[in-house]
Amino acid sequence: MRYFIVDDDKASRLMLRNILAEQDVGMVVGESDSGVKAIPKILSIAPDLVLIDLLMPELDGIETIQQLKSKGFTGQFIMLSQVVSKEMVGEAYQVGVEFFIHKPINQIEVQSVLRRTAEQIRLKNSLMTIRESLAQIGSVEQPKMKRPAKDIVLSKLHDMGIIGESSTRDIVAIVEVLIEQKAAQLPPLKELYEMALQKTGVEPKNIAKESKAMEQRIRRSIQTAMEHLASLGAIDYTIEEFEYYAPRFFDFQEITQRMKQIQEESFLMKPAKVNAKKFLQVLYMETLEEQKKFL
């Protein structure tokens, strides 16, 4: 991964460089203390990811991103900000920002966001390669092939904003197990998690312990997806991902309650209730439906 840092605060740039160096997640290929100076450098260097401050003189972070995109830059962005208001989140989503790092900079948060972003980019590239391969197959008029379940699941997790979560591998394994068994309905979740762990090669003696860890990973990811969709809905409930996924995969009442809290900028927000069985059941059924299109 190649990173470019844009921040008018020298201390913030230094801290980010040090964290990136310590984590060995890539290299910093450039930096700038303003959006105006950053634009020609970024267009020339073409980094994979730009860490950019929201509040800067002359051009703020969002304006800088807009200019970069208008000039053809296709990399990703992480926004650095002291204040995350509803309006700012809305503008940032609209220009393509998917992750935020809060100021003052916290090393643990930076590490977590960088890992998730790097994984998301890697999986997006994998999906792009798969889609290009399928397009090439179709262009020479070969018989349609059943679309791999993994491809379908990753695409849907990406749409819900959780493709870089630690549970990605777990969820893919669960859907693959259900398809292999041609399950009419989901077994108890504990049993399902254990079957998925066996598929991924976990030793029998460790399955009970790993099953609990898998359950927690999946629940956290579902909560993250609910948060992501609620944020989209709070900005504009006609956004395609919100319209499609919110009512199908989740308790819509929980989503609308979370939207209301975001719109009111409430600081007393309770964690949303998670229905993991519903989420996995819908994901499994939709994967089957997608595969039928290729038969």
Side-chain angles (χ1 to χ4, degrees):
M1 292 288 295
R2 300 162 68 249
Y3 297 89
F4 194 100
I5 302 169
V6 188
D7 197 314
D8 60 335
D9 179 41
K10 185 177 181 180
S12 293
R13 297 199 306 274
L14 177 61
M15 187 175 297
L16 288 168
R17 279 204 315 272
N18 290 340
I19 293 172
L20 284 162
E22 289 172 7
Q23 290 302 299
D24 193 29
V25 292
M27 61 179 177
V28 177
V29 294
E31 64 178 69
S32 179
D33 60 4
S34 78
V36 173
K37 295 177 185 176
I39 290 171
K41 293 181 181 179
I42 291 171
L43 292 175
S44 174
I45 297 170
D48 300 302
L49 198 146
V50 177
L51 293 96
I52 185 166
D53 189 26
L54 172 65
L55 301 175
M56 295 186 292
E58 296 183 85
L59 282 180
D60 65 25
I62 289 175
E63 291 168 334
T64 303
I65 292 171
Q66 288 172 327
Q67 290 206 21
L68 283 167
K69 290 205 161 193
S70 71
K71 296 177 187 295
F73 179 66
T74 58
Q76 288 193 281
F77 299 92
I78 294 176
M79 182 71 77
L80 310 169
S81 175
Q82 272 185 310
V83 179
V84 182
S85 68
K86 181 185 71 174
E87 291 76 16
M88 188 277 287
V89 171
E91 284 189 78
Y93 270 125
Q94 288 172 0
V95 298
V97 173
E98 295 187 26
F99 292 96
F100 294 86
I101 291 175
H102 301 92
K103 285 188 170 184
I105 291 170
N106 177 285
Q107 182 172 353
I108 295 174
E109 181 186 14
V110 173
Q111 292 169 355
S112 174
V113 170
L114 290 177
R115 282 196 299 270
R116 289 176 61 193
T117 309
E119 179 66 8
Q120 186 182 74
I121 291 173
R122 186 185 70 78
L123 290 170
K124 276 185 177 179
N125 290 338
S126 297
L127 282 173
M128 189 177 298
T129 301
I130 292 168
R131 286 167 180 162
E132 287 173 354
S133 298
L134 289 172
Q136 290 174 358
I137 291 170
S139 66
V140 295
E141 298 184 351
Q142 292 186 6
K144 287 185 177 181
M145 299 174 62
K146 183 186 287 186
R147 190 178 177 196
K150 181 178 180 180
D151 181 17
I152 299 169
V153 172
L154 291 179
S155 178
K156 292 186 180 295
L157 296 184
H158 169 260
D159 289 347
M160 288 186 276
I162 54 172
I163 196 169
E165 294 289 317
S166 59
S167 67
T168 298
R169 185 186 179 199
D170 303 326
I171 295 172
V172 168
I174 285 170
V175 173
E176 289 178 339
V177 163
L178 291 169
I179 289 174
E180 288 170 4
Q181 296 194 351
K182 299 180 180 179
Q185 60 183 15
L186 262 64
L189 287 181
K190 182 176 181 295
E191 181 181 332
L192 181 58
Y193 295 153
E194 290 175 353
M195 288 190 292
L197 287 166
Q198 290 172 6
K199 179 178 177 62
T200 57
V202 174
E203 294 184 12
K205 65 179 181 180
N206 296 325
I207 281 181
K209 178 181 176 182
E210 289 298 320
S211 177
K212 293 178 181 178
M214 177 185 280
E215 178 185 12
Q216 292 303 312
R217 289 194 296 269
I218 290 173
R219 290 181 66 84
R220 283 195 300 268
S221 292
I222 296 173
Q223 285 182 329
T224 300
M226 293 177 73
E227 183 79 16
H228 175 70
L229 292 169
S231 296
L232 293 180
I235 297 160
D236 181 356
Y237 59 82
T238 65
I239 291 174
E240 184 178 348
E241 289 82 1
F242 175 79
E243 282 190 317
Y244 186 84
Y245 291 98
R248 286 175 171 82
F249 283 75
F250 307 96
D251 181 337
F252 196 64
Q253 186 175 355
E254 286 289 327
I255 295 277
T256 53
Q257 179 64 28
R258 188 71 181 95
M259 286 166 56
K260 183 179 178 182
Q261 292 172 335
I262 292 170
Q263 290 168 338
E264 295 174 352
E265 298 183 11
S266 171
F267 293 98
L268 299 174
M269 296 183 289
K270 297 180 180 179
K273 295 178 182 177
V274 170
N275 188 337
K277 192 161 189 176
K278 176 180 179 178
F279 180 91
L280 295 171
Q281 175 77 45
V282 175
L283 184 59
Y284 165 52
M285 297 306 296
E286 292 215 344
T287 302
L288 287 179
E289 288 300 315
E290 286 286 327
Q291 286 192 322
K292 287 178 183 177
K293 296 176 183 178
F294 287 81
L295 295 177

